[in-house]
Every structure is written in structure tokens, then in C-alpha cells.
Amino acid sequence: MTHMDLLLWRHAEAQDGQDDLARPLTEHGHRQAKRIARWLERHAPEDLRRCCSPARRARQTLEAWTQDYELLPEAAPGAAPLAVLAAIGWPELERPTLIVGHQPTLGGIAALVLAGQHSTWSIRRSALWWFKRRQRHGHVETVLRVVLDPELLD
């Protein structure tokens, strides 16, 4: 087994609106996304697969860093955490994978990946969580490598 990285990035702050999939980022949201994007530019794993919810706010969040990504319809607002994990092939990822998506889905994924149970963990807007799954001392473990809050980055 190789090391398998899973990164979860919640979309940045978005405007309110009737059409949930069309809601754009606010000016503050664009600044949040750019802070995380600058960090990813320096620290993201090589050969990172970038997956994104089809919602406009998620796409704009990821586009603060890159235009090179694939839409993941299974990560749309209201998605079931297990459905998203199945869509990317967790835990047997072919390469490190980033998912840009929504609450409560991403918080549910974080709980399943790290604690192995269903829960409603809260992930702040534009925060990034990075998990590493590895084999150590004969058993598989998942560790939380990084949690970043954009408000704490320069």
C-alpha cells in the first residue's frame, strides 16, 4: 500500500441566492480562496487529482488556484459523504485527490475518513483539511496532516 492523500477544501464565502448552484463567491470569498490557493501552490502533493462540485461557488474557489480540474457531480450540495468517497475510489486512490465541496458533506467525509463513523463535523468556509492514509507497524492508519483556516494565512 502506498501513502494515499485526501484533501478536502470547503468552498469560500458565497452570496445568497435562489439558485443554489449559481451562487457566486463574495469579494471576501475570493480573498479566502486566494489565501488557500497560495498555500496549495507551495505545498500540494505532486500529481494531485482535483475534483470539484459543479456549484459555481466551489468552481470559483478552486479556480483561484487552477483551471485544471474535473467536475464531480457526486459532490454537489447535499451529497452523501459515502457517495463522494465511492466516486473518487477511497480508500484505494490511484493518486492524491482534492475535493472542493460543501457542508455538511465534507464534514461527514472527514468524520468517516478519520474516525470511521458517521458524524456532522463542521468545516469552516474555505478551510482545507488534508488526510494521509498509510500503513504503519503492520496496520493501516489515517492521520490528519493539516487543517488550514484562510483567516489565519497571510
Side-chain angles (χ1 to χ4, degrees):
M1 175 185 156
T2 59
H3 294 265
M4 290 178 241
D5 294 275
L6 176 63
L7 291 79
L8 305 177
W9 186 6
R10 183 178 174 195
H11 69 79
E13 180 183 273
Q15 297 176 15
D16 292 331
Q18 295 286 346
D19 183 350
D20 190 45
L21 291 178
R23 293 172 43 216
L25 295 183
T26 64
E27 285 186 37
H28 180 69
H30 282 287
R31 288 191 303 274
Q32 289 175 323
K34 286 177 186 171
R35 286 182 184 128
I36 296 295
R38 281 193 301 269
W39 189 90
L40 283 167
E41 191 64 39
R42 294 188 311 271
H43 302 287
E46 289 185 27
D47 195 30
L48 181 66
R49 177 183 178 199
R50 299 164 180 101
C51 302
C52 189
S53 158
R56 181 177 181 192
R57 61 193 179 277
R59 289 183 286 115
Q60 286 182 321
T61 298
L62 185 52
E63 288 167 359
W65 179 40
T66 183
Q67 301 292 318
D68 181 19
Y69 63 89
E70 61 187 89
L71 287 180
L72 188 68
E74 295 86 351
L82 283 173
V84 177
L85 288 172
I88 64 162
W90 178 266
E92 301 301 323
L93 299 176
E94 293 181 14
R95 59 193 238 231
T97 301
L98 167 70
I99 301 169
V100 179
H102 312 273
Q103 274 297 98
T105 303
L106 293 183
I109 291 171
L112 285 168
V113 166
L114 193 59
Q117 61 187 20
H118 294 277
S119 190
T120 53
W121 292 2
S122 180
I123 295 180
R124 288 178 49 105
R125 284 188 192 98
S126 202
L128 178 77
W129 291 38
W130 182 346
F131 301 92
K132 181 174 284 292
R133 187 173 169 91
R134 63 186 183 189
Q135 188 158 354
R136 189 169 184 138
H137 306 298
H139 71 279
V140 175
E141 65 183 17
T142 302
V143 295
L144 179 57
R145 186 163 188 214
V146 172
V147 174
L148 291 175
D149 181 327
E151 306 307 323
L152 300 176
L153 297 174
D154 293 324

